[in-house]
Each structure stands twice: as structure tokens, then as C-alpha cells.
Amino acid sequence: MRYAVVSDLHSNIEALTAVLRTADDLMIDGMFCLGDLVGYGPDPNEVVDLIRTRSGNVVRGNHDHAAVEPGHEAYFNPWGQAAIRWTRKQLTRENLAFLSDLPLSLTVSGVRLVHACPSEPETWRYIMDADDAEDEFDGFGEAVCLFGHSHVPLCAVSAGTDAVLLAGDEVLIESGKRYLINVGSVGQPRDGDPRAAFGVLDLDRGTIRRHRVEYDAAATRDKILAAGLPRFLGDRLLRGQ
Ligand code: ZN
């Protein structure tokens, strides 16, 4: 069984379409979506519609939460606040209902899925380094937890000792070890690489591989400006930061 892993899509249909094209070429069997389908970008309904048709394994991100819980945007920076208020007005009744029903955490095929952190997903705490990861390994019982939220790829491994970060695009999941893995963001990468990021989890081989995909970020940026959303949200797509 091979799952595409997508996170932080942020209403970027150009990036999501390019990712799904590549994922389909890689013969995936299913998909995990780690939340933040909406917020920041110009096409919230298109992204939610597409994910609804492609994945039954979707967890709630903080932007999805804010879209359906007015007042929660107070936790965002001014650009995020402006975008979530705009997003709330765009979303169809069906897509608002879909986001309202998303769980904070799921376990599928023995893999834990959350948006931010497994120990207390409702706090939206970030996992940015080995110390953050160390605090989270007690927060789930499975061997692998996939998460997003920071928009920066990260893989931490623990063999019951201190968490260690692993480099490289492919991780071999070894028995006796446990993993916290962020494959990066589809719709708003922040690691300096503007290409859309996603992963493929191969449960038969016991691997997870990160991929990057070129897409037309300039087109998404132009749509952000045309929608009257903050210019910064468009410009950052071109830099991947
Ligand atoms: Zn996000």
C-alpha cells in the first residue's frame, strides 16, 4: 500500500494539481491529508472539493479550524487573519460542513496523522527541532506519526533514547524505532525551495520518500493579488519562505 502524504495545501490549487499528477505517476493507492486545506491562498473551494474526492483520511489544521470557528483567527498574524476572513466568505456550505467535521487526529493503517503535534493537537504547537520532537514521542503509540504545520520538512527518530534528526529524502522505517515525520507543505513551502512538497509512504517497503514538484507559483500569486488578499502571501510563494 502506497499513500501520498500532503499537508498545508492552503487553497493553492496549482500546487495541489501538480502534486497529484506526480503522485498518480508514482502509482499511489491512497492519500493522507494532514490539514490546512484552506487559508492564505485564492482557491479554497477548489482545493477542498479535490481533497474530498481523493482522500478519506483528512485531519483538521488550525486554518481549517479558524475557517469554521470565528474568533480563532485572533491567533494568526495580520496576513493570516485577513485571508481567513476572506476564506470564510468564499467557502460553500458543503465545504464548511466538511471542514467542521474533520477530526484533530486519525490512525490509518497503523500510522498516526495530526496537523501540529500528537500529544495535544488542539494546542497547534510546532515541532521544529529534535527537542520539540523529544517531547512528542510519548504523545502517540504508533511507530510513525505524520504531521505538518511548520511548512518545513523534518524527520525525527527515537529508539527509546534521545530523538535524532535524519537528513535525506528517503527514510527507512526500522522496527524497534519510532518516527515523527513532516514532509513539508504543498501550497506554501517555507524551507527556501518554492517547489510544492509532498511524500509517499510505502507500507510494503517500509519507506517514506519526500518529493518536490515544480508548479506555476506566479499564477497563484497573481490570483492572490486579484482576490485582494495581502501581497506578501503571493510574494512568499515565489521565494518558498
Ligand atoms: Zn499551514
Side-chain angles (χ1 to χ4, degrees), residues 109-191:
S109 299
V111 178
R112 177 71 68 96
L113 313 177
V114 293
H115 180 65
C117 63
S119 63
E120 297 176 296
E122 71 283 1
T123 64
W124 313 114
R125 198 162 50 236
Y126 288 92
I127 302 172
M128 301 296 292
D129 55 30
D131 285 344
D132 295 340
E134 184 89 38
D135 295 338
E136 294 296 331
F137 274 107
D138 287 341
F140 64 105
E142 299 82 357
V144 177
C145 174
L146 304 175
F147 68 99
H149 195 39
S150 69
H151 300 205
V152 176
L154 180 143
C155 177
V157 59
S158 171
T161 51
D162 291 350
V164 174
L165 298 186
L166 297 179
D169 289 334
E170 184 165 86
V171 171
L172 181 65
I173 297 163
E174 299 180 71
S175 67
K177 296 184 180 177
R178 301 175 68 229
Y179 297 82
L180 272 160
I181 301 171
N182 183 340
V183 297
S185 166
V186 170
Q188 194 196 78
R190 295 180 190 163
D191 60 345

Side-chain angles (χ1 to χ4, degrees), residues 20-134:
L20 292 184
R21 203 177 297 127
T22 302
D24 287 337
D25 288 345
L26 294 168
M27 308 290 285
I28 55 155
D29 304 299
M31 184 183 300
F32 296 156
C33 177
L34 306 179
D36 275 6
L37 286 72
V38 302
Y40 297 139
D43 288 310
N45 285 307
E46 288 77 0
V47 167
V48 177
D49 287 343
L50 189 48
I51 289 298
R52 285 172 63 187
T53 64
R54 292 293 304 256
S55 180
N57 311 303
V58 187
V59 293
R60 177 188 296 223
N62 54 317
H63 286 254
D64 310 319
H65 186 71
V68 298
E69 296 280 346
H72 190 79
E73 70 270 21
Y75 297 99
F76 294 168
N77 62 38
W79 305 290
Q81 289 187 21
I84 211 67
R85 292 195 184 104
W86 179 89
T87 298
R88 206 177 281 142
K89 285 188 239 158
Q90 308 298 316
L91 284 166
T92 64
R93 191 189 309 239
E94 293 76 16
N95 285 339
L96 279 167
F98 175 80
L99 296 177
S100 298
D101 288 342
L102 291 178
L104 285 167
S105 172
L106 270 180
T107 299
V108 185
S109 299
V111 178
R112 177 71 68 96
L113 313 177
V114 293
H115 180 65
C117 63
S119 63
E120 297 176 296
E122 71 283 1
T123 64
W124 313 114
R125 198 162 50 236
Y126 288 92
I127 302 172
M128 301 296 292
D129 55 30
D131 285 344
D132 295 340
E134 184 89 38

